[in-house]
Amino acid sequence: MPKRLVVIGGVAGGTSAAAKAKRTNREWEIRIFEKGPYVSYGGCGLPYLVGGEIAKKEDLIVRWPHQFEEQGIGVSVNSEVKEIDTSKGEVEVFHAEEGVTRRYGYDALVVATGARPFVPPIPGVDLEGVYVLRTPLDGEAIRMALESGKVKKAVVVGGGFIGVEMCEALLNQGVGVTMVELMEQILPPMDPDIANLVQERLEKAGVEVMTGCGVEAFEGRESLERVVAGGSAIDAQLAVLAIGVRPNVELAKAAGVSTGPTGAIAANERMETNVPGIFTAGDCAEALHLVTGEPVYIPLGTTANKMGRVAGTNAVGGDATFKGVLGTSIIKALDLGVAMTGLSEKDAQKRGIPYQVARIKGRDRAHYYPGSHPITVKLLYHSESRRLLGGQIVSHWTAAKRIDAIATAVYAEMTVDDFARQDFAYSPPFSPVWDPMLTAANRAVK
Amino acid sequence: MPKRLVVIGGVAGGTSAAAKAKRTNREWEIRIFEKGPYVSYGGCGLPYLVGGEIAKKEDLIVRWPHQFEEQGIGVSVNSEVKEIDTSKGEVEVFHAEEGVTRRYGYDALVVATGARPFVPPIPGVDLEGVYVLRTPLDGEAIRMALESGKVKKAVVVGGGFIGVEMCEALLNQGVGVTMVELMEQILPPMDPDIANLVQERLEKAGVEVMTGCGVEAFEGRESLERVVAGGSAIDAQLAVLAIGVRPNVELAKAAGVSTGPTGAIAANERMETNVPGIFTAGDCAEALHLVTGEPVYIPLGTTANKMGRVAGTNAVGGDATFKGVLGTSIIKALDLGVAMTGLSEKDAQKRGIPYQVARIKGRDRAHYYPGSHPITVKLLYHSESRRLLGGQIVSHWTAAKRIDAIATAVYAEMTVDDFARQDFAYSPPFSPVWDPMLTAANRAVK
């Protein structure tokens, strides 16, 4: 009888694990159980489904179930794993369409249960018109609400990555937007000086940004009419909660799988949990931070995919390792791109790491080449070792992807002095002769 | 009496050296002698002056002489250094405007004499209508010829970086273009599979590309009428020679300064030549290749600036080092961007370095995000150590700058396996969830 791999969860981490497992060892029988109706979708594209850049939710699907089946991977959607029975090596699955529960044996398991949006216990949070944005169905629901023509004003609750992307999406749909963020700044993972540049841009585009201010109530008769925040009532027919996610760990915990200090599932670098034969990947799992060596919970699609490959490889007898993350991330905010990698000032302060900052404002192309835009580059480095700790960029959105070079240098544990020696590509349409990243590094070298 | 630094040559390397020397040690008296009428111009912008993206040659000037003078740096233009007298510590300078020769003492010298276009001894090469493109005056002359309306067809001799940029410039000006390249491929520093993608794009835009074929003669009565190449005559009223440059080393050699195996001036990592007190920087100097450790001659504006800072620092008693180059370069070819760093296949073969290739064709954005384009990424890595040796990218021009991340990894001597672990920035407008660079690396990891 072939060995059996069961993958719980079929979005980024789960499908990566299943596909990689099949390529690693074709002898194994592999089955994905997904609670929702879709597998393998680009969750990060949801704001663009709302904004209209993407026509319909099906466009977000990377691979359909039949494509997995053709690869020899079984897929069951609308199928929720209710229990992991480690003593028998079985999972109990509720198939919602059939309304039946079945048990399936496994020899190895990948827990890729993902995360769920945090929904705070605010009065009126269940009102029609109050949404989260996590699945294609969520995205479609918001899009349909917007297309109904009844939404003139919207409130985005939370000024993080998804919150900012939702501002752009709602503006694209011709809706007035108020953003409400509990912290004193938007984009909490970034430093205030960087986040403020984005806030100014949003405000210039007409977004009302309220920081240091929480939502007290959602109000309305049949559906949302007002959001009460910071003591004042904001007219709004639609609100999106984008205040972070919580890892789905309950199923695994009940089976004896340990979570780490972040509350997400802990695993070694083979992505194996404390329970032998149970692996994990994706937004339910924590990861080591490559600068601090500490576990962090930074759920991102790239990380989920990387973890999935490692979990899938090892689950079927292969050998791969996942070293950790830098939290590299990037978002588009209208015409701006905002990117970060490694530690922010706040991160360094929190950990008592002595650091210095090199920050410059330059241009993304040669001064004489048409269409150049401002770019701000900020580098953090260790005061004593001079090791590069992180970087942040705000620029025209076409220039922000150069954060990858900083991420590579941070990964390589390069000093800021060595980073200043990098041989970066130059010609006038692409950069000034000193790339702004080098100009920032040279500021530190002085 | 203050110590005196003389800088010979006032474009990229020379002005970088002078400016950095002044910042390093304000006690020194610093003077730049420049043979031509302009200092501190963006030579890499010349194709865009020809193409019309840049209005006039003055727009290319980074800093004018009076701006150097305000910093306390003397600048003499139209002033050619004729001799370096190391025994007396003097240079002899011919000031063309005054028609006089004077001698100036120095305590340290930076030789930044640059390079000159190679002009092959082809019949008719001196005809009116045959140009090189090196200085703002060259660029202006070609631009004026184009604006005269008499040029319907042009021949670009040489399919290197400047040749390709000239094709775009001439097309922008509504001129028919034939490119003639002696090698079997255009873009000789790159591998044929990459260069061919660019050639196809140029051909699609109407450029006739002739490879493996040299120019036999330039013909015409008063000015250019025909270029004879590969045995056939091409009607053309304008031709641009873009077949490489030769370092200007004669002045330095006459003073006992040694050149290296490449024929350019040799220097240690402090950019000091074999003659104590004589430093060098820019297109007249060779550099160590960071992968092979061998001297190479890859004259580029970025390198000139970096060398200049190091030469300037050390010349006035500071301490800085220049480690070498990866030959990272990028050009725009119509809507394409083409970039490379490190070794090409040809480089590796020539040196007997055992290597493997990972090459993929992907998209530069998420498949569902509007406006995505194809991108080809090619990575070379050492067959045994698996060290990343180099990379090449062809993509929409807005995506090619990601070569910097590969350059950083090559600099850091990263293996291709470690490169596959990089935490690159992702969101749908910027990249697929697996950045194409990672997809290429994963191909190597298997």
Side-chain angles (χ1 to χ4, degrees), chain A residues 196-253:
Chain A
N196 287 347
L197 296 173
V198 182
Q199 181 173 337
E200 283 167 18
R201 181 67 190 89
L202 293 176
E203 287 171 340
K204 206 178 139 201
V207 177
E208 188 188 357
V209 181
M210 300 167 67
T211 53
C213 161
V215 170
E216 287 122 37
F218 298 99
E219 295 181 352
R221 279 150 302 182
E222 290 176 5
S223 64
L224 184 69
E225 294 170 25
R226 277 175 310 279
V227 177
V228 184
S232 61
I234 307 154
D235 280 339
Q237 300 77 47
L238 187 143
V240 181
L241 293 173
I243 44 179
V245 297
R246 298 288 179 271
N248 292 323
V249 299
E250 294 74 11
L251 175 71
K253 273 179 99 162

Side-chain angles (χ1 to χ4, degrees), chain B residues 158-188:
Chain B
F161 294 161
I162 295 174
V164 170
E165 289 172 339
M166 279 306 298
C167 284
E168 177 178 342
L170 292 163
L171 290 175
N172 279 354
Q173 295 284 11
V175 171
V177 186
T178 301
M179 173 182 268
V180 181
E181 165 59 50
L182 199 59
M183 313 280 281
E184 292 300 329
Q185 63 164 92
I186 66 165
L187 296 174

Side-chain angles (χ1 to χ4, degrees), chain B residues 327-339:
Chain B
T328 311
S329 43
I330 192 166
I331 59 161
K332 185 170 173 293
L334 303 164
D335 55 348
L336 291 186
V338 201

Side-chain angles (χ1 to χ4, degrees), chain A residues 146 150-155 170 174-178 208 224-225 234-239:
Chain A
L146 294 170
K150 290 179 192 152
V151 178
K152 303 298 172 205
K153 279 213 61 188
V155 171
L170 292 164
V175 171
V177 187
T178 301
E208 188 188 357
L224 184 69
E225 294 170 25
I234 307 154
D235 280 339
Q237 300 77 47
L238 187 143

Side-chain angles (χ1 to χ4, degrees), chain B residues 354 381-389 413-417:
Chain B
Y381 56 100
H382 195 286
S383 302
E384 289 139 31
S385 72
R386 299 184 64 78
R387 179 184 167 184
L388 205 56
L389 300 172
E413 305 188 13
M414 208 175 262
T415 63
V416 70
D417 309 283

